Amino acid sequence: MVPHLVTALTGPINELEQRVLDSTPAIERWFRLEWMEHTPPFYSSADIRNAGFKLAPVDTNLYPRGWNHLTHEMLPLAVQAAQAAIEKICPEARNLLVIPENHSRNTFYLANVAQLVRIFHMAGLNVRVGSIDPAIKSPKKIELPNGDTVCLEPVVRSKRRLGLKHFDPCTILLNTDLSAGVPGILEELYEQYLLPPLHAGWPMRRKSNHLHSYEEVSKRFGKLLGIDPWLINPMYAKVGEVNFGSGDGVDVLTSHADALLTRIRRKYKEYGINEKPFVVVKSDNGRSEMGVVTVRDAKEIEALARKHKPRSGAAKSPAERLELIVQEGVLTKERVHDGVAEPVVYMMDRYVVGGFYRVHADRNPDEDLKIPGASFVPLAFSESAHLPQPGAKPGASAPNRFYMYGVIGRLAMVAASYELEATNPDAEIYE
């Protein structure tokens, strides 16, 4: 399905699409050389925004959920990528243990786990699901609305290994972003592969590190194509800690938002863009209760501070201190079923394996769509994930547009590989 694009077919995004299509051999060689030097994350997903004048990733997930939204037609790609990924890490692998989030009642999430089990089973592995939830004390079989079944089993930890009763895996796949902290049971596993590594979780990961890496990647890729990197890169600023209760850091947040809005206005003027610039304020270390807040004027920060200031007499807590970033807001001019939409690209190892549109009928083009009420429409990657159609009119070809999504998604994946290398606490061991 190709969404309705409000932008004209002669808009800047189509010029960018044409430049990408004309440079396909150079682009694929560039990615090939990158993967000779860097290790891609085991799996990842990227939320992408198409503003008509720029196409950029706005969020990159290293513990992607939502695999259940991939269609059956996409599964062969995912299975082949899973085989390639496992073969690189542990060629003799036989058993794989999947560690999910600790919310066993969420059947939508568990449908995602069932899909991961299916993918790796078809890739040739014995796959079981091990829960680190203390409430799971014996195997618990859960029937899902779509007809799938997930069996959660309590994990068993020995001195150096993690597994299940009578099940000893060589590889452990985390599908939890560790936002609640790293459980001790996952630490110091010396004889097993833990994927992704613990430093990819939110206790250590920061979005600002990823955005810094992506900025570097976009500059190099922009030079390759002879384009302004801004066309594929959302600008950002790291704010640091903000305490809305005491007011500490609010002035810094306001200053960064104002400066970034000024930079965006300059770019809009340079390209003759008549849209109203905006930025988004969000947590640097994962999602917080604050969510993603759209700011169109730095003066709105004052209202944001009042909204999130604890009520008088409320107990003080460390949660009041938030690590925040300000990121350039990227409009989405895509529509599916009359709802605002953004493509989400799924990747495993170095391959694009599928994706979907996140659609929200009640949101505006400058707002976050990752909230309750969103629906999901599969991308037609099955038609042609990596086979663009030379000569097709820009903006009119689904394979060409999806190839663009895949290029941007893979750029985010390259940035994630840089990010993980830079933040690896054991990196000095290998130097």
Side-chain angles (χ1 to χ4, degrees), residues 158-227:
S158 64
K159 186 176 181 181
R160 299 173 72 86
R161 297 183 75 83
L162 186 69
L164 306 175
K165 188 176 181 181
H166 307 308
F167 186 78
D168 184 30
C170 84
T171 306
I172 298 166
L173 178 64
L174 296 180
N175 195 239
T176 168
D177 60 18
L178 307 174
S179 53
V182 178
I185 198 170
L186 296 178
E187 296 181 315
E188 298 181 358
L189 296 174
Y190 298 108
E191 300 174 348
Q192 291 172 304
Y193 295 96
L194 187 65
L195 304 168
L198 292 179
H199 68 277
W202 288 121
M204 286 186 64
R205 190 181 183 217
R206 295 295 179 268
K207 292 179 182 178
S208 53
N209 288 336
H210 178 79
L211 290 167
H212 174 76
S213 294
Y214 186 82
E215 188 172 58
E216 179 185 344
V217 169
S218 65
K219 286 177 181 177
R220 293 181 55 233
F221 190 77
K223 186 175 181 180
L224 174 74
L225 263 61
I227 62 169

Side-chain angles (χ1 to χ4, degrees), residues 15 24 31 51 92 122 223:
E15 295 173 19
T24 297
F31 278 120
E92 68 277 12
M122 290 192 290
K223 186 175 181 180

Side-chain angles (χ1 to χ4, degrees), residues 83-122:
Q83 289 172 327
I86 290 292
E87 186 177 327
K88 283 198 309 190
I89 294 162
C90 183
E92 68 277 12
R94 179 179 299 167
N95 297 334
L96 175 74
L97 182 65
V98 177
I99 305 286
E101 297 274 5
N102 287 350
H103 41 69
S104 58
R105 294 182 182 179
N106 186 334
T107 56
F108 293 103
Y109 170 72
L110 290 176
N112 147 79
V113 175
Q115 183 83 305
L116 280 172
V117 171
R118 182 179 293 111
I119 289 169
F120 285 99
H121 174 76
M122 290 192 290

Side-chain angles (χ1 to χ4, degrees), residues 272-292:
I273 297 164
N274 295 320
E275 303 287 353
K276 185 173 178 60
F278 69 101
V279 296
V280 293
V281 178
K282 56 186 177 181
S283 171
D284 197 8
N285 57 341
R287 292 181 70 83
S288 70
E289 292 182 6
M290 189 184 79
V292 177

Side-chain angles (χ1 to χ4, degrees), residues 21 25 65 115 138 147 395 407:
L21 294 172
R65 290 168 273 187
Q115 183 83 305
S138 60
V407 168

